[in-house]
Each structure stands twice: as structure tokens, then as C-alpha cells.
Amino acid sequence: MRRDGDLYALEAALVRRGLGPVAGADEAGRGACAGPLVVAAVILPPSARLAELNDSKLLTEAARERVFERLHRSRALISVVSYGPREIDRRGIAVCNLEGMRVAVARLPERPGYALTDGFPVPGLPGSLGVVKGDRTAACVAAAGVVAKVTRDRIMAELGGRHPEYGFGVHKGYGTAAHEAALRRWGPCEQHRLSYANVAASAVPAAA
């Protein structure tokens, strides 16, 4: 399926073949070195056409918030799973991500006939289909990406108020130059993923 056809075309094709409802799953925060990993699963209402829905990375923060609110006002079914820094350190980001996809889909109020994920199929997730650039190809994956991103951004904004020295509300825990500078100055806090190389390095006192 090509993105230039229709964001809803893949789901519609699966439903026509009796494989619905179709869930989309996506994550936010996999590449960050602080804060949680958030995974969301979404089943869109039948025949839904949400204004502005797109890959969350292509939307402004204000547009993501609007889509997020529209999803919650619609009859969309939504499930969210979060993994904190210590669990990510203990189990690994890949394990948490794959488990999060399975758990988020399993917790949906309705069992989907198919589950679309961004980029790769998820082992142990029945009916899982990995879709290349899924958040630009399938509406339900795009919706899941928006839910995960907005949920996580709100968490990071709250953490920014608790730890203003790191600027979490600005960079959302990703390894920007400003964040790296703060890590070198202050060292890691409890919201940092200590298993990540840049964070681990910042916890080691510089040689005299």
C-alpha cells in the first residue's frame, strides 16, 4: 500500500476482507535517554476521517494536541502502556517496546482482527503486520503515534517542572546538545536511563 493513495486505504482493505477491526500500535521515547517509553494502541471508529491526522513527527505540537483531543472525543478505542527508566535499564528498550505493543493491543476493549505496527511485525502479537513507514501509511498507526507522543510529552513537561535544570519540557529527554551539557554539569537524575552510554558516562567523575 502506498501512502500517496490514502492514509485509510490499508485498514479499509483489511476490513473489506473480514479482518477487522484493525488496531494500530506505535511508541514514543525509544530514542530518548530520559523519561518513560510510552506505547499506544488505537482502533479507529468505522469510517473515521480525523482532521490533521498524520505521522506525529510531521505535526506541530499544537496540531498533535488537537488530534489527540479529537481521538478522545471520537469513538476510538485507546490503550496506553508506559515503562519507566529503571525497568528499561533492567530489561532493555527493545524488550520493553515489543512487550508494550503486545500489552497495549491486548488491553484494548475490543479484540482486533489485525494489528498494524510501524516498521516490523511483533512476535507474539496475533495478526501483526509490520508496515514500512506505518505512521505515514496507516491511519490507526498514525493515531497510536500521536497518542503515545502527546502522552509522553505531557509526562516530560511535568518532569521538567520537577527537574528544571535538565530542560525535560523542551527536549523531552532526547540527547540534544543542551541536555548533554546539563548531564555533564549535574549528572543523571532518577529519570535518566543509566544503561544508556551517554548517561553512564556522565555519572563517572571526570579525571583530574
Side-chain angles (χ1 to χ4, degrees):
M1 301 298 295
R2 296 176 57 187
R3 170 66 183 91
D4 57 7
D6 185 348
L7 188 61
Y8 297 83
L10 178 54
E11 290 160 79
L14 290 169
V15 170
R16 283 196 302 271
R17 287 161 177 77
L19 298 173
V22 180
D26 203 3
E27 54 77 23
R30 179 169 180 158
C33 61
L37 171 75
V38 176
V39 184
V42 175
I43 296 176
L44 291 170
S47 305
R49 295 272 167 168
L50 274 73
E52 299 184 277
L53 179 60
N54 206 336
D55 178 356
S56 65
K57 295 182 291 296
L58 300 179
L59 299 174
T60 64
E61 182 177 357
R64 285 195 297 269
E65 288 283 347
R66 289 192 296 269
V67 173
F68 183 87
E69 296 302 328
R70 287 178 186 129
L71 281 164
H72 279 274
R73 289 197 306 267
S74 74
R75 291 179 291 119
L77 304 180
I78 297 172
S79 172
V80 179
V81 178
S82 180
Y83 294 85
R86 295 295 76 80
E87 188 165 10
I88 292 169
D89 287 337
R90 186 174 68 255
R91 304 179 65 196
I93 190 69
V95 171
C96 292
N97 186 43
L98 291 175
E99 180 183 279
M101 298 281 182
R102 291 191 290 266
V103 173
V105 171
R107 289 182 180 174
L108 286 166
E110 184 175 356
R111 183 175 180 177
Y114 239 84
L116 307 182
T117 54
D118 186 17
F120 52 87
V122 175
L125 180 59
S128 172
L129 175 64
V131 182
V132 177
K133 295 188 181 297
D135 43 13
R136 303 185 190 188
T137 306
C140 59
V141 179
V146 168
V147 170
K149 174 67 173 167
V150 172
T151 300
R152 187 178 187 278
D153 282 0
R154 291 179 177 182
I155 292 170
M156 296 309 297
E158 191 274 332
L159 291 175
R162 288 162 47 187
H163 301 280
E165 66 273 25
Y166 296 103
F168 289 146
V170 177
H171 54 66
K172 308 300 189 293
Y174 287 88
T176 64
H179 191 186
E180 295 288 347
L183 269 172
R184 288 192 296 271
R185 180 175 182 183
W186 302 105
C189 72
E190 76 276 7
Q191 294 302 327
H192 284 97
R193 302 173 186 176
L194 302 178
S195 57
Y196 281 43
N198 64 324
V199 177
S202 72
V204 178

